[in-house]
Amino acid sequence: MRYQTKKSFPSDFLWGASTSAYQVEGAYLEDGKSPSIIDMYEHPKDTADFKIASDHYHRYKEDIKLFAEMGMKAYRFSIAWTRIIPDGTGSINEPGVAYYRDMIAECRKYGIEPIVTMYHFDLPYCLEEKGGWNNRDTIDAFVNYAETLFELYGKEVRYWLTINEQNTMILHPGAIGLPKGGKLPTKKELYQQNHHMMLAQARVMKLFHTMVPDGKIGPALNLTAMYPATCKPEDAIAAHNWEAIRCWNFADVPVFGTYHPLAFAYMQDRNIEPEILPGDMDILKGANPDFIAMNYYSTATIAASRNDGSDVAARAGDQQIMLGEEGIYRPEENPYVEKTKYGWVIDPVGFRYTLRKVYERYHLPILVTENGIGAPDILEDGKIHDDYRIDFLEKHLEQMKLAITDGVEMLGYCPWSAIDVVSTHQGYQKRYGFIYVDRDEFDLKEMKRYPKDSYYWYQKVIAENGESL
């Protein structure tokens, strides 16, 4: 559709950026923090670990000042459960509480809206040893943790995200590392974990609306619209299979209180459906999220399954993420999109397409909580010329502006990432930030911060509220 007039970004639009605790903080066992599953899982040996990361734990004041100078209106970060309640349940760790209180205050000092993710892949390892999300006791532990957060920070934090990319954890468990011994859960176990997460999330949302009545809460999911490879009807069915099983099923439960019927039929057919106890479905009803938080990087193109053993393929550059499922759908190449050097699809128009589909389906405001391009940025004479990042983000923002014109209600845009963070699989070889952290995989150097060219570009975009896009 070609519009005669494009709508503007809302005057209160939350221009921001994102990080997660384990990827940016460091100080992994400092001040009473216990290890998380991320700390204990196996990761590539030739990349940086998470023990120091970008040292945000010690440098947050310096970093937030840089965020403020860029003009950020919002900072999306995660709170590490292991800093607040190191044993998963029980005693509260006061140094951890103080750290996040100070971080939130520092944001407020500069007029930056804190957006808190409660759980970003980092379950306390002590709970993992007791069964993790396979154990229904973890539901109560998460609700207790959430209640603690709302008591501590509910007056200072308006926007909350429950669980980051629950669908990634269930569909690609190896993406966050491998358990000791390298054995991943079975699909049956994963969908049982998913059910327990859904129950925990629903209880937390209901609790939130009681404890923080002026706040807003929502799930943070990796959502992507799919293209059928051709106009062949079977390809369209396969693309719908993909969306239902991998996207809508994970958003339908918090929004509607029910599993997606096609996705549940798939689980039953494969004998991987979760055990649902009496009363569980009542718990899922009435969670009433206030918005959808959406992580978007790229689309995929889907064809009908051949069911000949060739439907599954590794995503380019990442052997831990498999695309396709035998007998359900298979990935295909799309000649109409670009790719990053890592083989990830670049599809700004797909961003608009996804925003339209998500809003049409759920009729809830959308907060983009991740979007970005990873690259091996090069520091030369104190500068980083990342024109590729500017081009990527600018094209996506242009498409978001069109989505707003389409009628999609947008709350804000918090791309990945505010500052360079350690990538789960590529360490510091693959950087996403507006701010460069001068360290290598194993040589920490001085970890000096350098704003990239994209920093100054985003500064201008925010100052103009996107009008020049």
Side-chain angles (χ1 to χ4, degrees):
M1 187 182 299
R2 295 182 181 273
Y3 290 101
Q4 296 178 10
T5 305
K6 295 177 186 176
K7 292 181 182 177
S8 298
F9 288 91
S11 58
D12 57 352
F13 192 73
L14 295 171
W15 295 101
S18 297
T19 65
S20 76
Y22 79 90
Q23 291 174 278
V24 75
E25 287 179 359
Y28 89 117
L29 292 182
E30 196 166 322
D31 290 338
K33 179 185 177 295
S34 68
S36 71
I37 55 174
I38 290 291
D39 297 319
M40 301 299 288
Y41 277 11
E42 295 176 2
H43 294 90
K45 303 298 182 186
D46 60 345
T47 61
D49 58 28
F50 311 104
K51 294 180 180 178
I52 297 174
S54 296
D55 199 31
H56 190 57
Y57 187 80
H58 299 109
R59 299 170 185 249
Y60 70 90
K61 289 188 177 182
E62 172 189 357
D63 293 340
I64 292 173
K65 185 173 185 290
L66 283 169
F67 301 164
E69 290 171 357
M70 185 164 57
M72 277 171 48
K73 308 296 185 186
Y75 175 34
R76 179 228 173 178
F77 60 92
S78 72
I79 288 179
W81 186 344
T82 48
R83 288 200 194 280
I84 302 297
I85 307 175
D87 294 328
T89 60
S91 300
I92 295 172
N93 178 42
E94 288 302 331
V97 169
Y99 168 66
Y100 291 112
R101 182 177 291 125
D102 291 346
M103 258 191 67
I104 292 165
E106 199 69 14
C107 288
R108 288 292 182 201
K109 182 173 83 173
Y110 293 106
I112 296 173
E113 189 80 42
I115 299 173
V116 169
T117 309
M118 299 164 59
Y119 180 73
H120 196 120
F121 300 163
D122 49 357
L123 184 74
Y125 193 71
C126 55
L127 295 183
E128 178 75 1
E129 291 181 303
K130 297 176 181 178
W133 285 107
N134 282 317
N135 186 347
R136 285 184 74 104
D137 289 345
T138 302
I139 300 171
D140 293 330
F142 186 70
V143 174
N144 174 71
Y145 163 60
E147 183 175 12
T148 301
L149 293 185
F150 300 154
E151 287 175 349
L152 291 169
Y153 310 119
K155 292 181 180 179
E156 296 299 322
V157 178
R158 185 182 180 201
Y159 293 96
W160 295 78
L161 313 176
T162 49
I163 300 174
N164 181 75
E165 291 195 358
Q166 184 171 332
N167 48 345
T168 295
M169 286 187 281
I170 301 307
L171 300 166
H172 306 295
I176 62 173
L178 297 173
K180 290 181 179 179
K183 185 180 179 182
L184 291 172
T186 66
K187 279 195 173 184
K188 182 80 170 176
E189 290 172 326
L190 287 167
Y191 279 101
Q192 191 65 55
Q193 291 177 18
N194 178 66
H195 183 64
H196 293 163
M197 287 184 200
M198 291 296 189
L199 291 168
Q201 178 172 247
R203 287 178 57 188
V204 164
M205 286 181 178
K206 293 174 185 178
L207 180 67
F208 176 83
H209 289 128
T210 299
M211 295 183 67
V212 192
D214 295 328
K216 295 184 181 298
I217 193 167
L221 295 164
N222 187 311
L223 299 176
T224 306
M226 289 296 105
Y227 304 126
T230 70
C231 55
K232 182 180 176 183
E234 288 80 2
D235 287 349
I237 288 289
H240 186 247
N241 288 344
W242 198 104
E243 288 185 348
I245 294 168
R246 303 172 64 90
C247 287
W248 310 142
N249 189 46
F250 294 89
D252 280 11
V253 179
V255 177
F256 302 135
T258 59
Y259 283 98
H260 190 288
L262 174 60
F264 203 79
Y266 151 80
M267 288 188 279
Q268 289 178 315
D269 182 72
R270 296 310 201 251
N271 194 31
I272 54 175
E273 78 276 17
E275 178 188 25
I276 298 177
L277 299 186
D280 282 0
M281 298 312 295
D282 290 331
I283 292 172
L284 295 179
K285 288 181 173 63
N288 299 329
D290 300 291
F291 60 91
I292 295 285
M294 176 179 130
N295 298 348
Y296 173 89
Y297 289 95
S298 63
T299 51
T301 300
I302 302 300
S305 162
R306 293 178 186 164
N307 204 28
D308 61 359
S310 67
D311 287 341
V312 180
R315 185 175 69 182
D318 195 341
Q319 295 297 315
Q320 299 301 331
I321 295 186
M322 307 303 290
L323 300 178
E325 183 169 351
E326 196 66 25
I328 308 294
Y329 48 79
R330 61 184 290 114
E332 289 287 352
E333 290 295 318
N334 185 342
Y336 300 104
V337 296
E338 299 178 39
K339 288 188 176 181
T340 72
K341 67 168 292 182
Y342 297 97
W344 286 33
V345 166
I346 300 175
D347 186 6
V349 176
F351 185 35
R352 176 189 181 186
Y353 184 46
T354 303
L355 290 170
R356 284 163 53 149
K357 280 200 167 190
V358 171
Y359 190 68
E360 178 182 59
R361 187 171 182 87
Y362 300 112
H363 293 280
L364 289 172
I366 300 172
L367 174 64
V368 174
T369 42
E370 289 184 32
N371 175 234
I373 184 170
D377 298 332
I378 306 299
L379 178 66
E380 295 179 318
D381 298 324
K383 298 182 184 299
I384 302 92
H385 302 300
D386 56 342
D387 292 346
Y388 39 85
R389 182 166 293 110
I390 294 171
D391 182 66
F392 179 97
L393 295 173
E394 185 170 47
K395 287 177 177 176
H396 281 76
L397 284 172
E398 288 168 353
Q399 292 298 320
M400 186 194 292
K401 192 170 186 176
L402 284 170
I404 292 171
T405 305
D406 291 332
V408 176
E409 185 179 356
M410 299 297 307
L411 287 177
Y413 179 69
C414 295
W416 192 262
S417 56
I419 189 170
D420 284 345
V421 300
V422 57
S423 174
T424 308
H425 291 299
Q426 285 89 15
Y428 283 90
Q429 301 168 41
K430 188 179 183 184
R431 297 170 182 262
Y432 284 85
F434 290 111
I435 299 165
Y436 185 90
V437 177
D438 189 19
R439 61 157 292 177
D440 290 332
E441 294 303 320
F442 304 106
D443 180 2
L444 297 178
K445 302 182 180 180
E446 295 181 6
M447 302 189 77
K448 188 175 178 180
R449 274 60 169 149
Y450 293 90
K452 304 176 188 179
D453 286 357
S454 59
Y455 175 99
Y456 298 107
W457 167 82
Y458 196 42
Q459 184 182 61
K460 183 173 183 289
V461 169
I462 295 172
E464 298 177 349
N465 197 35
E467 283 302 313
S468 63
L469 291 167

